[in-house]
Amino acid sequence: MSGSIPFYQKHHRHYDRGNRSRETESAISQYQQSSNTYSSHSSKSTKGIRAATYTALDEPRLSPLPKRVKPTYMAMDKENQIIGYVVPIFRGSHEFQSGLSDTEEARAKESAGYLARRDLFASGVESEHIEHKSHRTVMRESAERISLSKRIYENEEYHKRLNEDSLMHIPEFVIKPRSHTVWEKQCVRLHCTISGWPEPRVVWYKNNVSIDPMATPEKYKVESSYSVHSLEINKCDFDDTAQYRVSAMNSKGETSAFASVVVKSRYKNNVSIDPMATPEKYKVESSYSVHSLEINKCDFDDTAQYRVSAMNSKGETSAFASVVVKRFKGEIDEFLPSPRLQSRKFGFKAPCLEYGVTFETHLVEKFGVSFGREGETLSFGCSVIIYPSLQRFQPEIEWYRDDKLLVPSKWVQMHWSGDRATLTLSHLNKEDEGLYTLRVITKSGFETHSAYVFVRDADAEVAGAPGAPLDVHSLDANKDYVIVTWKQPAVDGGSPILGYFVDRCEVGMTHWAQCNDTPVKFARFPVTGLVEGRSYVFRVRAVNKAGMSHPSRVSEPVAAMDPADRTRKGPSAPWTGQIIVTEEEPVEGVVPGRPCDLSVIEATKNYVVLSWKPPGEKGHEGVMYYVEKCVSGTDSWQRVNTEIPVKSPRFALFDLAEGKSYRFRVRCCNSAGVGEPSEPTEATTVGDKLDIPSAPGRVVPTRNTDTSVVVSWEASRDAKELVGYYIESNIAGSNTWEPCNNKPVKGTRFICHGLTTDESYVFRVRAVNAAGISEFSQESEAIKVKAAITSPTPPYGITVLECVRDSMVLAWKQPTFIGGADITGYFVDYREVIGGVPGKWHEANIKSVSERAYRVSKLKENMLYQFQVRAANMAGVGIPSLPSETFKCEEWTIAVPGPPHDLQVQEVRKDSLVLLWKPPVYQGRDPVNGYYIDIKEAEADFEMWRGVNEKATDKTFIKIKDLKMGESYVFRVRAQNKAGVGKASDSTEPVEAVTKPGTAEIVVNVDDDGVISLNFECSNLTADSKFVWSKNYVEMTEPERMTLETKGSKSKAIFKTPSEEDLGIYSCFVTHTDGASASYTLSEETLKELLKVSHDHKFPIIPLKTELAVELLEKGRVRFWLQAEKISANGKAEYVFNDNVVHQGEKYKMNFDKNTGIIEMFMESLGKEDEGTFTFQLQDGKATNQSSLVLIGDVFKQLQKESEFQKKEWIRKQGPHFVEYLGYEVTPECCVRLKCKVANMKKDSVALWIQRPDEPANSSTPLKIQSTEEGIRLYTFVSYYNDELHVTWHHNPSSFHLSFYIIFFPCCENVVLKTCNSEKPGFLTYAPISKKDAGIYEVVLKDDRGKDTSTLNLTDQVIVHLNLTFIFSAFDDAFAEFQRLKAAAIAERNRARVAGGLPDVVTIQEGKCLNLTCNIWGEPIPEVTWLKNEREMVSNDHYILKFESGKFASFTITSVSTSDSGKYSILVKNKYGTESGDFTVSVFIPDEEPGKKK
């Protein structure tokens, strides 16, 4: 079975520089050297340097150098290969370089090396141009040397006095540079403020190319003063539009900040174009309403927005178009900076700032396997760390997809931020799927990282439609046809794909035209009907019975023209417009010979493609060709291209009859005539010659990771023009197949990612070529997705726990990756170190040890040793760890104990965790009596260690609380004995305080049988996971007092006979997880509660809402009842009277409602024999309960009497009767009303009112009372009034005679007796009733069914009480109303209010000041609050809020901006009320009218 080698394991062509074009290499080399040439201040020195540079290169094809270019800093060997950089002659801008070293020795070496390189370069120049040096130049150089020596000496003396350790820190930007947008020809200045010590070196970059202000002093000016640094750019133009970076570096590190400068043109846009002024540049034409502007020889200055304006008497209209001029790939501008990042692509190394530096490249934060969907945008990348970090050095970044180098395009964008390389894929398509590789190249080598990117199909517009085709491109292009090819999609939507439709669109247009009327199944199609010279793009759509797919990604543009013309005009057609085809003038020559090697290279049912070689005899001019055909078996030849001969030796024939056989031949022609035909081809039958490939062979899946599987298969047999394979997966047992790849893979091995861990999958494969997709292979065997078992990684952290004369106890940490299986043991090796030279490794143990500590014996005293450890699992023994530090074998005699070891962290939560450790092996002179635990943040310095416990703990575990969520911590432990505290253990790995999703705690449960258990559940188990239970963090392997049970993802520890012996901390840890663990503390109080619950569960009781009770019902019936809180459908009840069970019968009626839990027993009446004890007994499964009620003695007699009374009452109420007996009430109108309530009345029922004595009483004059805010007013109405009537008021009014009358309503249930004024019944008074009204009042109801009587006795005491009630009730009500009205008047007079002064709307110009003042009233002085958009405002420099003299409130906005627009309110409040005033502020921009849209 064959298999493809992964991308990262094979040698790639693009890694080899030997295949690069020497011509291209030379051209780029010249370009780089010329752009780096340095211009000195001395013209003579400049000439000398330039001459030396070009003498070394001696390239005759170079154009003359301009005067502004600067000399190269590159050193060349004899073969013109760059070997490094040469440092230029010292200038003042280098005075700060000596401050970069960390130590005095390093600074001295740096200074000496610099002088040596400078003298070397200077001597080289002097050897050839010594005669050009003047005395002034020599003196200046000598002065510079003296100045340099003085500066170096002063700097060294300064650093001797400086305490560097306390002051040095990495550079920091106090103020970062700000981006600018300026007009052309203006100046711009970028500022920043940087702090750092040693004083940082600051360098400015433009698009990651360093700026040398000495080379172009008229363009750039760099200044630095008191940590303020600036870059000034003079006379900006379009080339200055870039991203600028300022970088600060010292011995502690490097930091950068960015700013962008955008330069706009003041003259191109919106300036009319005069074609007469510049006829060589612009040409304007108008013909039949078609207008055009032609721009000749476009350059960067032509990049602008162009507007065409049409105007007549009715108005004017405009349209806009933008022109962007790009640099053509083949051009090289010698004035541009050296293209450093592309230099390696052409066969030579990129320049490095420091000669002889070896770089170490590390890729961190690497991108992993990514998944995207069509139409989305996906970004990924790596952080790059290069050591040493040089300021001006830039690595070369390359991205590859499936072994092909990527270049920036509208689909692919690459970004390098200085420390991170990012690739962005815009609008994903399935063509973007593949293996992506990042390569970071330096002069010392390269580092790579690869990961696969999967692209899923976008959701179909129609359910069941297929996925979009992919990889559309032109296979063959001629002047009248283009053969388009594509790849079939992996997803067919559930039904076979019927075919494909091909669409074309002319470049520059937006209209798509369908090329075929019926779908084609073959993945190639010849598109005809093209206009010669035009450029086209194509796309393809798939169709099945459900509908049409999304269109594919558009192909690259292709021109419809003869291949020979395309060869003369360049590798590709222009991206837009029409290509004009010209032919050379024919000259006389010889008739060409026969073409040779004519063959049919491709034949389908739609077309046939011929290919041949030009003749050997063709004269001095070019030749063209005529193609002829004839049906096999005949000799009738027919010319195919009758009008224009073809120029290229390749031609496609269409409109051939399918199934017929043809022969073909070709003739050459030129101006001299038509030559003889070539030999005809063999008979070719028109039809598809390419068969659909056979199904692939056996499919074998193998484990890879927790989310991926490696699938291998046997290749399809005899497959022709194979495009690749599609792999599909299916969860075992289901029938839903999902594609693993949406782009065909060409190998026979593929890694399927994105699978679910612990699920079982089956796989199948099918092959693809242009003819179609094969049948599926046989399904593979099911495989469970989990990581493949490999040998573990090396252990680490080897330390010594104890040392005696001939042995040492070692400890180490578990490997970070155990290989997918439990570690079965460890192997320890040791070697002697003599004189610093390590010896040969020896095995310390032949049999593996399971613990992470081991005593190595048979060592030599006072010898030095190194150790290494290897871990083993069922897959084998892993590679050894790195050699440990060198330890000396000598007996420890210290009094304090050694370090604890094997520190572990469990039960990590957002604010706590549990730390475990093992006691030290070396105890010291006395036994260990306690431990101290230290903690610090993971990123904190060593001095930040602090203690967790003030008092030593005697346990080997501790729960650490009060952690900060999200913070990472490290821990260490120290042991103590009587002699003191020993050495600290190695610190743990950083642990983040966070509660992971799915974290569970131990739950205590008491089941129905009263069994107490501890339960723990883990949701992220693996096949190898195990539950480990511990008590006080000591593993319980075979517990005597507990039973351990595990089923699936749940485990429980069951107490056999819980008692005080079981008190302690119980914990559960799950292996092969991300630290799933929890604990539960069983205290004495908790145990008592659990035992009580356990007893209740063993002997359950049915809870009752109410105990047994008795009540009387209608007719005197007796009801015994109780209610249970909850009872099941199986519940039962027994009814017991005096220890005898009673049953349903004539005397007892029972009811049991199990939904509500109500149990009832009814009796019609109580007899003497029913005196005793009633009991209800309940049972529901094991649960029981009962309730009793004792009815004896007076209690029973009272209940019996009440029952008999209720029965008699029921009989009484069968006829007319009183519901409420006769009584009296005082109405709000101060009337005395005698009333009763009757029931069961009929029309013929009679009510008789009887008074004894029957003499009527007298009434009095009506009197009324009214409350006002001034006081209480008493008033009355008189029937007759005139001017002579004298009115006298008395405090004790006299009585008035009252008359009685009866109002009887026979059909109603109420009979009312009213006491009213006979003269004016509508106005009732409170006049007191006299003693004459005393007596007995009686009402008699009777009809044919019976009669009922009710009486009322109004005694003298009742009369007096009624009179007092009238008087005081009326006065109290009136006085209360008076008080209320008075308080309301005061509140209305003194409540807070806004008196005025605020407008409804304020419109103000931006930048102005707004001031508003309003009047406030209220007593006491109200509180004033201002609101903006319903939110309270606070007075500050922008909003000034004042409240003066308790009357005037002012509101001021200084320098109004558009953000101040909104709704404002003032709210005033005191104890009598609240009021608000609203107004709206509208701010407009100065150059706009208020209210007008922007």
Side-chain angles (χ1 to χ4, degrees), residues 1114-1115 1205-1214:
E1114 191 180 18
K1115 300 182 184 180
F1205 173 77
Q1206 292 291 345
K1207 188 173 184 179
K1208 293 178 181 179
E1209 277 291 297
W1210 180 82
I1211 296 172
R1212 180 180 68 84
K1213 293 178 181 178
Q1214 300 307 306

Side-chain angles (χ1 to χ4, degrees), residues 932-973:
Y932 290 97
I933 295 86
D934 299 334
I935 182 177
K936 78 175 184 71
E937 288 74 15
E939 302 297 331
D941 295 334
F942 184 83
E943 294 79 7
M944 299 305 294
W945 282 105
R946 59 187 183 275
V948 173
N949 53 329
E950 296 181 359
K951 185 178 180 181
T953 177
D954 58 348
K955 298 180 176 60
T956 57
F957 62 88
I958 187 173
K959 185 168 185 178
I960 303 174
K961 302 179 180 179
D962 300 328
L963 302 180
K964 184 179 180 181
M965 185 174 65
E967 185 69 53
S968 294
Y969 298 91
V970 292
F971 306 90
R972 67 182 186 184
V973 183

Side-chain angles (χ1 to χ4, degrees), residues 1115-1135:
K1115 300 182 184 180
R1117 297 177 68 203
V1118 182
R1119 175 183 179 243
F1120 297 90
W1121 69 282
L1122 64 77
Q1123 184 177 8
E1125 287 188 2
K1126 184 178 181 183
I1127 197 165
S1128 69
N1130 299 322
K1132 298 178 182 180
E1134 285 189 348
Y1135 309 88

Side-chain angles (χ1 to χ4, degrees), residues 747-855:
T748 58
R749 180 179 179 273
F750 186 74
I751 302 177
C752 299
H753 289 272
L755 307 179
T756 304
T757 306
D758 291 333
E759 284 283 2
S760 294
Y761 285 83
V762 293
F763 300 88
R764 64 184 185 184
V765 185
R766 52 181 176 172
V768 184
N769 67 2
I773 302 179
S774 73
E775 296 293 331
F776 284 105
S777 66
Q778 292 184 353
E779 296 180 6
S780 70
E781 295 181 356
I783 184 172
K784 193 171 185 179
V785 180
K786 60 182 299 185
I789 298 177
T790 60
S791 57
T793 56
Y796 65 101
I798 301 176
T799 58
V800 175
L801 302 180
E802 185 186 30
C803 185
V804 295
R805 295 181 179 180
D806 58 351
S807 65
M808 303 172 74
V809 178
L810 305 178
W812 55 88
K813 295 182 180 180
Q814 180 176 296
T816 55
F817 177 67
I818 63 176
D822 290 333
I823 292 179
T824 57
Y826 297 92
F827 294 91
V828 181
D829 301 331
Y830 67 94
R831 66 182 179 185
E832 295 181 356
V833 179
I834 302 176
V837 178
K840 184 179 179 181
W841 288 105
H842 301 279
E843 294 181 350
N845 60 317
I846 299 176
K847 185 178 180 180
S848 64
V849 293
S850 58
E851 297 292 331
R852 289 195 298 274
Y854 180 70
R855 181 180 294 275

